[in-house]
Amino acid sequence: MTNEQLTKLVSEQIQRQLAGKLSPVTCHLSTENPVAAPFAYLAPTIEHSLLNPDITREKVIAGCGDAVKYGFANVCVTPWLVVDAVQRVSGSSVLISAPVGFPHAAASLAAKSAEIRYCVQSGARELDLSLNIVAARSGQWDVVYRELCEMLNVAGDRVVCKAIYEQGLYSDEEKKRVLDVIERSRAPYLKISNALTGKKAEAEDVRFVRAQIGTRIGIKIDGGIATPQKILELQAAGAQRFGCSASVAIVTYGG
């Protein structure tokens, strides 16, 4: 699926969702859930995050096994572990995602472009693109926009890209400027990230973003999501994907 096709699918689903004509759904096409679990139907909306600083190759391999078992949308791993993760999920519907320029995106554009090429060539099919936070906080919005557009161009239609909106680091005015940059870039997805502040994922943040960017862009959100009820709450607010480390506990939740 190309970014253009995904953008159209996302827009159609979001508009129907916000109009109340269907239950919130994922933008991932596969609905396969290999294992019956109380909340297995949420599995295709979950991005299984294995990005903690203490992660190991062994933990990633095991986590990929969980993703295949329960049918998560993807597994998020560092670029260095993309090859191992791709090999582990081979033959399943699970994709591998990697963050680029994470967490500050203050490396050179050449370095970030090289990272994108490496991840794609290694088999990643989704990328979370970090915006240049240092440039944004310095008021250099032309740099932020130009770098995001170039990263999207380098990725092309080979992968689905999500532009990272690290909301806890920005003032109210900066939040609007960042969201405007993402909207103008035509990125198919936006990720509301709380990785650098420890802030929890909240429905009000999804509603704020949705009000700023409209219905064209899909929304992913992360930050302490630990129950299926929280996912359903965030879905109702307008999000489609959910970055979780407690993925197995969510789909097997018992009450």
Side-chain angles (χ1 to χ4, degrees), residues 27-220:
C27 295
H28 184 58
L29 294 182
S30 174
T31 56
E32 176 187 356
N33 289 305
V35 173
F39 291 92
Y41 66 93
L42 293 178
T45 73
I46 293 174
E47 301 194 12
H48 189 38
S49 179
L50 301 175
L51 295 171
N52 288 339
D54 64 346
I55 201 68
T56 65
R57 181 179 180 276
E58 290 70 25
K59 289 179 180 178
V60 165
I61 297 301
C64 287
D66 288 334
V68 171
K69 178 178 180 180
Y70 292 101
F72 298 137
N74 68 40
V75 182
C76 300
V77 301
T78 59
W80 186 67
L81 287 166
V82 166
V83 172
D84 292 309
V86 167
Q87 291 176 347
R88 179 61 184 86
V89 303
S90 178
S92 76
S93 64
V94 179
L95 304 178
I96 296 303
S97 177
V100 171
F102 188 77
H104 304 112
S108 69
L109 180 57
K112 287 176 283 193
S113 297
E115 192 168 38
I116 291 171
R117 294 187 183 95
Y118 173 81
C119 289
V120 174
Q121 292 169 2
S122 298
R125 288 298 170 260
E126 300 193 7
L127 297 175
D128 289 354
L129 305 178
S130 298
L131 272 66
N132 191 326
I133 295 172
V134 176
R137 295 305 310 277
S138 301
Q140 294 182 269
W141 298 106
D142 58 331
V143 173
V144 180
Y145 176 70
R146 185 173 67 250
E147 287 195 355
L148 175 57
C149 289
E150 179 60 23
M151 288 191 289
L152 290 168
N153 287 337
V154 172
D157 289 334
R158 297 171 292 177
V159 291
V160 173
C161 293
K162 308 178 190 78
I164 298 179
Y165 162 63
E166 191 66 47
Q167 62 173 357
L169 298 181
Y170 299 118
S171 67
D172 290 344
E173 180 59 29
E174 287 171 339
K175 288 178 181 179
K176 294 177 182 179
R177 294 294 297 268
V178 169
L179 293 173
D180 176 66
V181 163
I182 294 172
E183 168 57 27
R184 287 191 292 118
S185 76
R186 306 301 291 175
Y189 256 97
L190 175 152
K191 174 185 174 181
I192 303 174
S193 176
N194 296 293
L196 297 180
T197 61
K199 189 179 183 299
K200 303 297 184 182
E202 298 294 347
E204 64 187 61
D205 296 323
V206 177
R207 287 191 287 267
F208 172 79
V209 169
R210 185 59 73 199
Q212 297 294 317
I213 65 173
T215 61
R216 183 189 66 80
I217 302 177
I219 293 178
K220 170 186 174 180

